[in-house]
Amino acid sequence: MEEPTVLDRLISSLRSTSKYYTGYPKDLGPSRLIHFNSERQFVELLHGGHPVVVAFTIKCPYTKHLDRVLEEAAAEFYPQIKFMRVECPKYPGFCITRQRKEYPFIEVFHSPEQSSNQGKVIDPNITRYSVKVLPFNYDQSTYGFREFFKRHGMHTSASV
């Protein structure tokens, strides 16, 4: 077998170190994208203290592209930021509470803190929390997520 040329080695090195899409599939390792199972799982994830990016999806051609983007972003920003995908036809109650008509859409949940106004206390074991929710309206790519996190002061592994 012949020795790879300098150009082949250079291109191979560039592909392995590039953070930007080069047209070749990246080896992302095990999936870091969390699939929604219950509201309890979602609340436990929020209590972890990290921002949670939630993609509310339906079955459509764009969802396949969005899944690839979410997988790549989840791998890049793990463990500082968690990514979750909700299949709205399976969990309509959770999606309807977001009061959006266009699917798919993405929202970022962060900074959960105990609510100062607990309201009418029915059960002393229940604690209310307030969570900041930001609509994600940037480019749906890893770069778009990085810029969004910078803009809103969320720390990622790349910026720490």
Side-chain angles (χ1 to χ4, degrees), residues 40-52:
R40 177 176 297 231
Q41 172 204 27
F42 176 67
V43 169
E44 288 172 0
L45 199 58
L46 279 176
H47 285 297
H50 299 291
V52 180

Side-chain angles (χ1 to χ4, degrees), residues 77-122:
F77 298 114
Y78 181 83
Q80 285 77 14
I81 297 173
K82 309 291 184 185
F83 284 77
M84 177 179 269
R85 179 173 180 256
V86 180
E87 294 179 44
C88 290
K90 285 185 180 178
Y91 305 99
F94 187 70
C95 296
I96 289 171
T97 61
R98 304 310 316 148
Q99 300 179 351
R100 296 279 297 264
K101 290 182 173 61
E102 317 83 37
Y103 289 91
F105 67 92
I106 299 174
E107 291 183 334
V108 181
F109 296 76
H110 68 101
S111 304
E113 45 188 60
Q114 191 168 334
S115 180
S116 58
N117 179 9
Q118 291 295 316
K120 183 178 176 185
V121 178
I122 297 172

Side-chain angles (χ1 to χ4, degrees), residues 14-30:
L14 183 63
R15 284 183 188 149
S16 66
T17 59
S18 178
K19 285 193 170 217
Y20 300 101
Y21 183 67
T22 59
Y24 292 88
K26 291 183 178 182
D27 179 24
L28 301 175

Side-chain angles (χ1 to χ4, degrees), residues 133-153:
V133 181
L134 299 171
F136 182 79
N137 51 9
Y138 282 60
D139 178 44
Q140 291 185 353
S141 66
T142 303
Y143 174 78
F145 283 113
R146 187 179 305 115
E147 292 303 307
F148 179 86
F149 299 145
K150 271 192 228 175
R151 166 87 182 197
H152 294 284

